[in-house]
Amino acid sequence: ADRQFALAWSGLAATHLALAQYGLARPDEAMPAAKAAAHRAIEIDPTVPEALAALACVKAIYEWDHTGAETDFRNAIDLHPQYSTALHWYAINHLTPTEQFDEALAYLRRAQASDPLSSVINTTVGLVHFYRRDFAKAAVQLRDVISLDETFAIAYYFLGQVLRHDGNYADAITVAKQARELANNSAETASALAQTYAFAGNAKESRVLLNELMERAKLEYVSPGLIAPIHVGLQEFDAAFEWLDTAVEMRTQDLIWLRVHPVFDSIRTDERFGRVLAKIFP
């Protein structure tokens, strides 16, 4: 109704971005749409932090322009120092993937101060601990989130991964099943459960879920970045790299975690992994 309303364009950018980030749309469709909407907002009003933060996410997650992303994130935060979403996105989409964990936690503390009851921000604190391999702190933080919001699937999703990589497979499977149920069997939660079965040595159950995801991919978008870790858990490393190469071609949203995610630790020394990583972090 109002083509000059910058905040509406910013909201549209964030919506397209969320569709890509949560694997609900192909990145080559959602990310350019997010970028176009963000640019339209900035053309109308260059001082809109919401648009700059969305544009920064596109640069970090899809274009792998990490320098440009940092500039846009910092500009958004300078314009609105208490804007919790910009603080949150900067921490998790730039600082954490580039292994700047202390800085990420500092920005997340600022985000928490602005929005202390945000389940997603509080979950992200646990996620940073997870990526820096502090599994005990990660588990405590994520359980705290769940105690406040027992229906928040994302907290279960990451808690299951924390427990898995800490070697607690029985509890990891239980929590991964809870995440899958709460998220209505999203591709992400189905993949996480398949990974957990694989790492726990239950290849049969892992392949059941893997096959379900492959059938699902014939009908809807399923990120190849969700398939590769299942093959890592099954110790099928050639297949894992084939799927990672496909993910790189598509520039899927999950690749941003490649440098820090524990699921890839068993193939981290493989020269093929280095080649993939160099494309995302040139």
Side-chain angles (χ1 to χ4, degrees), residues 122-162:
N122 289 319
T123 294
T124 301
V125 173
L127 185 54
V128 175
H129 290 310
F130 171 54
Y131 286 148
R132 77 186 312 177
R133 311 310 195 265
D134 192 340
F135 300 135
K137 280 188 179 179
V140 169
Q141 178 66 26
L142 293 168
R143 290 189 190 281
D144 284 347
V145 175
I146 291 169
S147 70
L148 294 173
D149 185 352
E150 295 181 352
T151 65
F152 193 58
I154 297 172
Y156 290 88
Y157 172 69
F158 287 118
L159 178 59
Q161 295 180 54
V162 169

Side-chain angles (χ1 to χ4, degrees), residues 55-162:
L55 184 59
C57 281
V58 173
K59 290 180 179 179
I61 298 169
Y62 182 69
E63 297 180 344
W64 304 332
D65 175 8
H66 305 293
T67 300
E70 179 161 23
T71 297
D72 286 343
F73 276 129
R74 287 189 174 274
N75 286 340
I77 292 167
D78 286 343
L79 286 167
H80 189 345
Q82 285 78 45
Y83 179 35
S84 61
T85 298
L87 296 165
H88 173 214
W89 284 354
Y90 180 42
I92 199 57
N93 293 318
H94 177 70
L95 294 173
T96 300
T98 54
E99 300 179 87
Q100 300 178 70
F101 300 121
D102 289 338
E103 293 85 348
L105 288 171
Y107 276 91
L108 285 171
R109 283 192 288 271
R110 290 175 58 182
Q112 286 176 306
S114 294
D115 192 358
L117 297 180
S118 169
S119 293
V120 69
I121 291 172
N122 289 319
T123 294
T124 301
V125 173
L127 185 54
V128 175
H129 290 310
F130 171 54
Y131 286 148
R132 77 186 312 177
R133 311 310 195 265
D134 192 340
F135 300 135
K137 280 188 179 179
V140 169
Q141 178 66 26
L142 293 168
R143 290 189 190 281
D144 284 347
V145 175
I146 291 169
S147 70
L148 294 173
D149 185 352
E150 295 181 352
T151 65
F152 193 58
I154 297 172
Y156 290 88
Y157 172 69
F158 287 118
L159 178 59
Q161 295 180 54
V162 169

Side-chain angles (χ1 to χ4, degrees), residues 162-235:
V162 169
L163 295 171
R164 175 214 308 165
H165 290 288
D166 203 25
N168 188 348
Y169 296 122
D171 286 349
I173 289 169
T174 298
V175 174
K177 287 180 177 178
Q178 290 175 295
R180 187 184 181 204
E181 182 177 354
L182 287 168
N184 296 315
N185 191 30
S186 70
E188 284 81 1
T189 55
S191 171
L193 181 56
Q195 294 170 44
T196 303
Y197 278 130
F199 277 91
N202 190 339
K204 181 179 178 180
E205 291 295 338
S206 179
R207 290 190 191 284
V208 168
L209 290 168
L210 174 59
N211 291 336
E212 288 178 4
L213 282 170
M214 298 304 296
E215 289 300 311
R216 188 169 175 173
K218 296 176 182 179
L219 303 173
E220 61 186 64
Y221 172 67
V222 174
S223 170
L226 296 175
I227 305 299
I230 302 174
H231 287 290
V232 173
L234 292 168
Q235 298 186 32

